[in-house]
Amino acid sequence: MPSYTVTVATGTQWFAGTDDYIYLVLEGTAGCSERHLLDKPFYNDFERGAIDSYDVTVAEDLGEIQLLKIEKRKYWVHDDWYLRYITVKTPVGDHLEFPCYRWITEDKEIVLRDGRAKLHRDDKTQILKQHRRKELEERQKMYRWKEWHPGFPLSIDANCHSDLPRDIQFDSEKGVDFVLNYSKAMENLYVNRFMHMFQSSWSDFADFEKIFVRISNTISEYVMQHWQEDFMFGYQFLNGCNPVMIKRCRELPKKLPVTTDMVECSLERNLTLEEEIKQGNIFLVDYELLDGIDANKTDPCTLQYLAAPICLLYKNMENKIVPIAIQISQIPGPDNPIFLPSDDKYDWLLAKIWVRSSDFHMHQTVTHLLRTHLISEVFGIAMFRQLPAVHPLFKLLVPHVRFTIAINTKAREQLICECGLFDKANATGGGGHVQMVQRATKELTYSSLCFPEEIKAKGMDSKEDIPYYYYRDDGIKVWEAIKSFMTDVIDIYYESDEVVCEDLELQAFVKDVYVYGMKGNKSSGFPKTIKTREKLSEYLTVAIFTASAQHAAVNFGQYDWCSWIPNSPPTMRQPPPTEKGTVTIEQIVESLPDRGRSCWHLGAVWALSQFQENELFLGMYPDEHFVEKPVKQAMMKFRKDLDEIVSVITERNKNKKLPYYYLSPNRIPNSVAV
């Protein structure tokens, strides 16, 4: 009688093993096997990390194996089991791989296809078509869209982490408990003694050092030493943790009435301001989105303030970007002076601090939360709803949505919710952050997520003109490597643009992102359909780059750039100055966050800057969803391309006082997971 050798691999996560009854059915073109009991409870099979093999004898040859059914039945209590994969050796010696990489919960049967990726058109038999349709029907019941706040991109329909499907939950919910992590961070940083000292001001800048943790040769210490310098202020717009705000100034906005006379002492080329603008030496950062946002009122004992500054910057003869004018509010007038480097020291310093504080709010809420976390969740939900596990695009995307929906759900549960942790230290807490996301979502465009396109649109693409913009240089390298990988894989499964057009599941995925995730907003420019392989390659690159590289660039530098509180104040406790010549050091210190808020902020930026345990970095795909040799070769090429980028970045960073490494592929996690 024919015999099949079945090998079962259990996951390595905590509690991945099971003591339940496990049954197997093989279904082929010539018939089905009987229901085989592979293992009884306490026979020491299916333990965490185990690979167990069994011989399954059948009465007659089953033909080509199409489906494999695994059933788990409770022994004593419900015992979740993480199944990595199953391989089947047929009587004629063929080896079939059945990827799973899922949790099997309760008393449940799951049905697996073999690992060869298939488009909808490739399934010829009714049984495979039916399996495909049923999988998506079940997923669409589990992964439902929900509006968390009006004006936000839609998110998952779950009130808390434990409501999520088991497959997308964190292995340990405790590991992503923001309250626990922030408190633990403050304990590790030895600042918990200041935690409850809200309203208590620091005495001077040096006093902030009481909570500053010195780690040898880190950027944070360099920031502490140089934060007051104009060079450091300008450098952060290029390579800090929010390097997305700066753009070349083509024309001076009417709301910023700066004249040549005002800035003449800052200009080094004996040109007028208008001539400097024409030559491309003037840059602009505008925080208009913050104008009118409500400041945090959750603490009646502390008034908090927001502003919407406009900052004019200049590329000097050393090619360094330095500030030359700052207007702290949007509307010019006698109560809204334009601050200049030639002003009194503390006038100019306080103006720069207001810009740095506004930059922090834009970074956290728009650059970080909206444009990486929430957008990646949209792609993830649409993927689960519209792409079956056998689809090549599901296999491509699934490593890049790992834990994203879970971290966002936890954030909505604890961090950005009403009375959440965001309210503790941030001037945009108490609802301001919600208003910001609502405004920014209206302006969000698909083209702005296409990295090279966005850099060019801002006039920041010339390496000759702006030679020290490492965020741009490294980002374009990583973007091109990802896009090359996408193109290689797409060409394996889509031999023509016509096949792209005819892929109903692909089109449903793209439509779900547009109609539900982006609420059908035409001005967003998100495509409703995709008609060419080139456009598909770009679309997938947007999804993967956003979840991996873009998130890494704006997340993991938070401790480096924001831990020195005066350089990145999460709140301001005094209103902006309305005249020049009155600012004192005491007024600046009174404006900066108090001791308690400083500590909450420090704990947050520390916790958010840490990698997950067992982090998977770009190009690392230990879950082998693909089994085809051409795809594995494309993956090898991708990893080689990434390794070359790592080498280039490592060489460039040698002996630099301010190395830029956030977009080095060996430091870019595959997905938004923190």
Side-chain angles (χ1 to χ4, degrees), residues 68 83-87 96-102 110-117 389-390 395 623-628:
L68 186 153
L83 173 59
R84 289 166 59 210
Y85 62 82
I86 295 177
T87 61
L96 304 176
E97 297 180 45
F98 292 81
C100 181
Y101 303 106
R102 288 164 54 192
I110 64 165
V111 183
L112 302 178
R113 294 273 300 264
D114 78 77
R116 292 170 295 175
V390 72
K395 293 171 182 280
D623 293 356
E624 295 191 44
H625 291 277
F626 284 105
V627 300
E628 295 96 321

Side-chain angles (χ1 to χ4, degrees), residues 120-121 494 496-507 530:
H120 186 272
R121 68 169 195 164
Y494 297 90
S496 66
D497 292 342
E498 187 180 3
V499 180
V500 172
C501 294
E502 292 172 353
D503 185 350
L504 300 179
E505 291 164 341
L506 158 62
Q507 302 303 339
I530 288 182

Side-chain angles (χ1 to χ4, degrees), residues 369-500:
L369 173 62
L370 171 63
R371 294 178 63 87
T372 64
H373 279 258
L374 300 185
I375 291 303
S376 292
E377 180 174 4
V378 164
F379 284 118
I381 297 169
M383 180 203 76
F384 282 116
R385 286 174 51 81
Q386 303 298 347
L387 298 175
V390 72
H391 198 291
L393 301 190
F394 179 91
K395 293 171 182 280
L396 265 179
L397 289 172
V398 71
H400 301 285
V401 300
R402 178 176 178 254
F403 298 148
T404 299
I405 300 172
I407 194 71
N408 288 359
T409 302
K410 201 70 181 176
R412 287 186 286 267
E413 189 183 346
Q414 293 184 325
L415 193 60
I416 58 174
C417 56
E418 191 173 346
C419 303
L421 292 180
F422 207 81
D423 294 353
K424 288 273 188 186
N426 295 332
T428 51
H433 61 300
V434 172
Q435 296 170 357
M436 288 179 70
V437 171
Q438 289 167 332
R439 285 187 186 182
T441 300
K442 287 180 184 176
E443 299 174 6
L444 177 68
T445 63
Y446 173 79
S447 64
S448 72
L449 299 175
C450 297
F451 189 84
E453 204 172 320
E454 175 68 349
I455 293 288
K456 191 170 185 179
K458 289 179 175 171
M460 301 296 292
D461 51 316
S462 172
K463 287 188 181 183
E464 290 74 26
D465 285 353
I466 314 160
Y468 304 120
Y469 198 11
Y470 306 127
Y471 163 74
R472 171 203 60 204
D473 300 342
D474 299 352
I476 286 174
K477 288 186 183 78
V478 175
W479 170 276
E480 289 173 348
I482 294 172
K483 192 173 182 189
S484 175
F485 176 43
M486 293 301 102
T487 301
D488 289 344
V489 176
I490 287 164
D491 287 349
I492 294 168
Y493 297 100
Y494 297 90
E495 64 264 27
S496 66
D497 292 342
E498 187 180 3
V499 180
V500 172

